[in-house]
Amino acid sequence: MKIYRPITYRDAYTSAPASRLRRGAAIWQSTVAVMLLLATGCTSLLNPINGVPAKRLPPQLFASPKNNLVPIDVSLLALEPPRSYQLDAGDILGIYVEGVLPFNPPDAAPQPPPIHFPDAGSTLPPSVGYPIAVAEDGTLSLPLLSPIDVRGLTLEQVREQIRRAYIDERILLEEKARPVVTLIKERTYNIIVVRQDNVGRGGGGGGGGEIRGSSDESASGNLVKLPAYQNDILHALVATGGLPGLYAKNEVKVLRSSKADQRKRALFVQQFYAHQEAASCDPCACPPELPEDPSVLRIPLRLPPGVVPSLTDDQIRLEDGDIVYIESRETEVFYTGGLLPGGQHLLPRDYDLDVLGAMALAGQAIGAPGRSGGGGGGLGGAASVGGVPPGALYILRQTDCNGQVIIEVDLNQAINDPRSRPLIQAGDVLILQYRCEEEVLNFGLGTFFTYGIQQLLQNNNN
């Protein structure tokens, strides 16, 4: 009699076709691979960033180099003084005319003239005579004479005019007319200097990676009195601390105090915002950027080699009420994130900073494993055990019309090829990530290393 026994799971499995076995193995391998990727927290899959390789972007999307800029000759910011001082309104002269200033009776002995010593810091020599100021119209008033126009004259020319006037009016004989004319105090100009480079700064400028916020962008203001022929930009800067520091832009702005220039600046701002408001009504319109104000003089302090600024005396000469403005570089920063320590960092002012330098400035060693606290690694201690450094750096760069371009930098190529190291510009956001294969390799090395240590310890205990 034929006996039937039930078919077991082992019989069904052994009798399955070979194709079904291969299909099951493939499914199992795929499941293990997906679980392995998810276990590593692969940021290239969970948080993908689609970037364009740096070599494929046009040059206008890259920052302009600064390494080849050279400082201008600072003597171009100073007026060339004349060989002889020329008088104008506001000058105070020391004048002595024997018998007239002061008046002496014919039978009295002449009085000696007073002597004046200059103030501290003045370069004038001691002067002799009674102080008489040059009027606003440039004239000089003396006893028994009509006002004498002395604007633009030297001291020697004024002395000769006074002598000739007293002789022509028959007040003094020719052999007695020996006036003394000296300069007691030169005219001065009140200049306002506003500087934003002398204010204390917060953290975040170096490798600390802290967001800066302790600086309120306040500025130091100074009212300086500059003597004649020193009323220029260079003397105004020297009187308030020198050339702009590292926290200020490498340029000087001059705002004229005349009413005409003030009206020009007000009209310029009104026209710009009227145009911007009209453009905002069109959803497809690009909001315009604020152009250069034609009424404001901007003088760059670093220029390409061979370029000499064409500055005239009228441009560098400062009048009463003019404002010299040194602007802060608070907005010239870049940001870091991902495996880089999150922070805001100030860009160098006078030299270029590429992606490798920016990583070092943020506190990330080149070719070292990413920090586990950087936000995006998801590896914990496995990355440090594996030792494979992250190889993908993304630069988020703003473009016109509120657009954005993402630049992908292969760090392995960047180390070997300088052309693969784009320069960092203000507003860039740097995000460092592992590639998926790098995370898998770090996870695998870390897992097997940990497993080997455990087996070694177990064998020693046994």
Side-chain angles (χ1 to χ4, degrees):
M1 184 176 67
K2 200 170 186 179
I3 300 175
Y4 296 91
R5 63 182 180 86
I7 300 176
T8 62
Y9 175 77
R10 180 176 181 181
D11 295 334
Y13 183 77
T14 55
S15 60
S19 60
R20 184 179 301 175
L21 293 176
R22 289 193 297 268
R23 191 184 309 113
I27 295 175
W28 172 252
Q29 292 174 358
S30 301
T31 304
V32 172
V34 171
M35 292 178 63
L36 183 60
L37 291 177
L38 295 178
T40 60
C42 185
T43 55
S44 60
L45 295 179
L46 302 180
N47 300 311
I49 299 179
N50 299 321
V52 181
K55 291 185 177 181
R56 298 183 183 178
L57 292 176
Q60 56 266 25
L61 291 178
F62 293 99
S64 301
K66 297 182 292 186
N67 282 342
N68 61 336
L69 300 181
V70 295
I72 67 170
D73 185 1
V74 294
S75 64
L76 298 175
L77 305 178
L79 293 171
E80 182 180 2
R83 294 185 178 180
S84 299
Y85 188 89
Q86 298 177 357
L87 301 176
D88 206 338
D91 289 326
I92 300 178
L93 302 181
I95 300 178
Y96 173 76
V97 182
E98 183 179 351
V100 178
L101 188 65
F103 174 75
N104 289 325
D107 55 348
Q111 299 180 11
I115 300 177
H116 304 274
F117 292 94
D119 298 334
S122 177
T123 58
L124 295 177
S127 56
V128 177
Y130 291 89
I132 298 179
V134 180
E136 290 294 331
D137 58 355
T139 59
L140 194 65
S141 297
L142 296 175
L144 307 176
L145 291 179
S146 300
I148 302 175
D149 188 6
V150 297
R151 175 169 286 164
L153 301 182
T154 63
L155 295 177
E156 182 62 28
Q157 291 172 339
V158 172
R159 190 193 70 81
E160 184 60 29
Q161 278 208 7
I162 294 174
R163 176 179 178 276
R164 181 53 54 189
Y166 277 113
I167 293 176
D168 293 343
E169 295 293 334
R170 297 184 180 182
I171 299 175
L172 293 176
L173 297 176
E174 188 169 354
E175 62 272 11
K176 292 289 186 179
R178 296 187 298 270
V180 177
V181 180
T182 58
L183 182 63
I184 295 179
K185 186 177 181 181
E186 65 268 61
R187 59 188 181 274
T188 58
Y189 299 86
N190 297 323
I191 309 300
I192 300 174
V193 182
V194 180
R195 308 186 65 127
Q196 289 185 328
D197 58 343
N198 295 328
V199 184
R201 291 298 189 268
E210 299 177 358
I211 299 294
R212 294 180 298 142
S214 59
S215 173
D216 57 358
E217 295 191 25
S218 59
S220 60
N222 299 274
L223 178 61
V224 295
K225 293 181 176 293
L226 299 179
Y229 303 113
Q230 296 182 16
N231 55 321
D232 49 48
I233 297 175
L234 182 59
H235 283 87
L237 295 177
V238 171
T240 56
L243 296 177
L246 294 178
Y247 290 110
K249 292 184 178 181
N250 223 336
E251 66 176 11
V252 179
K253 295 171 61 176
V254 179
L255 287 74
R256 303 298 178 182
S257 62
S258 65
K259 293 297 183 181
D261 291 313
Q262 293 176 4
R263 286 192 294 268
K264 286 181 182 179
R265 290 196 291 269
L267 181 61
F268 167 77
V269 174
Q270 291 177 357
Q271 291 177 347
F272 168 74
Y273 283 106
H275 178 67
Q276 191 177 39
E277 183 177 359
S280 62
C281 299
D282 184 3
C284 299
C286 178
E289 295 184 358
L290 184 64
E292 294 291 339
D293 191 338
S295 63
V296 177
L297 175 63
R298 290 179 179 266
I299 302 177
L301 299 182
R302 291 175 66 91
L303 290 173
V307 177
V308 179
S310 57
L311 298 174
T312 63
D313 288 347
D314 292 336
Q315 289 178 318
I316 62 177
R317 182 182 293 110
L318 301 175
E319 302 294 340
D320 275 327
D322 285 350
I323 301 174
V324 178
Y325 182 48
I326 306 299
E327 192 174 359
S328 172
R329 291 198 309 121
E330 283 290 323
T331 58
E332 295 183 4
V333 296
F334 68 95
Y335 307 90
T336 55
L339 294 174
L340 293 174
Q344 174 180 287
H345 307 272
L346 188 65
L347 283 172
R349 190 190 67 172
D350 298 331
Y351 60 89
D352 296 327
L353 183 70
D354 57 22
V355 291
L356 299 184
M359 291 175 58
L361 188 63
Q364 173 67 32
I366 308 301
R371 299 191 178 187
S372 59
L379 291 173
S384 59
V385 174
V388 178
L393 180 70
Y394 298 93
I395 304 175
L396 280 61
R397 178 164 295 175
Q398 293 183 351
T399 59
D400 297 335
C401 302
N402 296 324
Q404 175 181 275
V405 61
I406 301 178
I407 305 173
E408 181 181 357
V409 179
D410 188 337
L411 293 180
N412 294 325
Q413 293 182 0
I415 294 175
N416 298 303
D417 186 5
R419 296 174 298 177
S420 300
R421 300 197 291 263
L423 300 180
I424 304 301
Q425 67 183 27
D428 284 350
V429 179
L430 277 61
I431 298 179
L432 180 64
Q433 280 191 354
Y434 281 107
R435 291 191 175 90
C436 190
E437 60 272 17
E438 294 167 348
E439 294 199 62
V440 171
L441 185 57
N442 277 327
F443 180 80
L445 292 175
T447 301
F448 286 110
F449 178 79
T450 306
Y451 178 77
I453 294 296
Q454 292 177 351
Q455 294 297 321
L456 181 60
L457 294 176
Q458 290 179 0
N459 294 332
N460 291 336
N461 292 334
N462 295 332

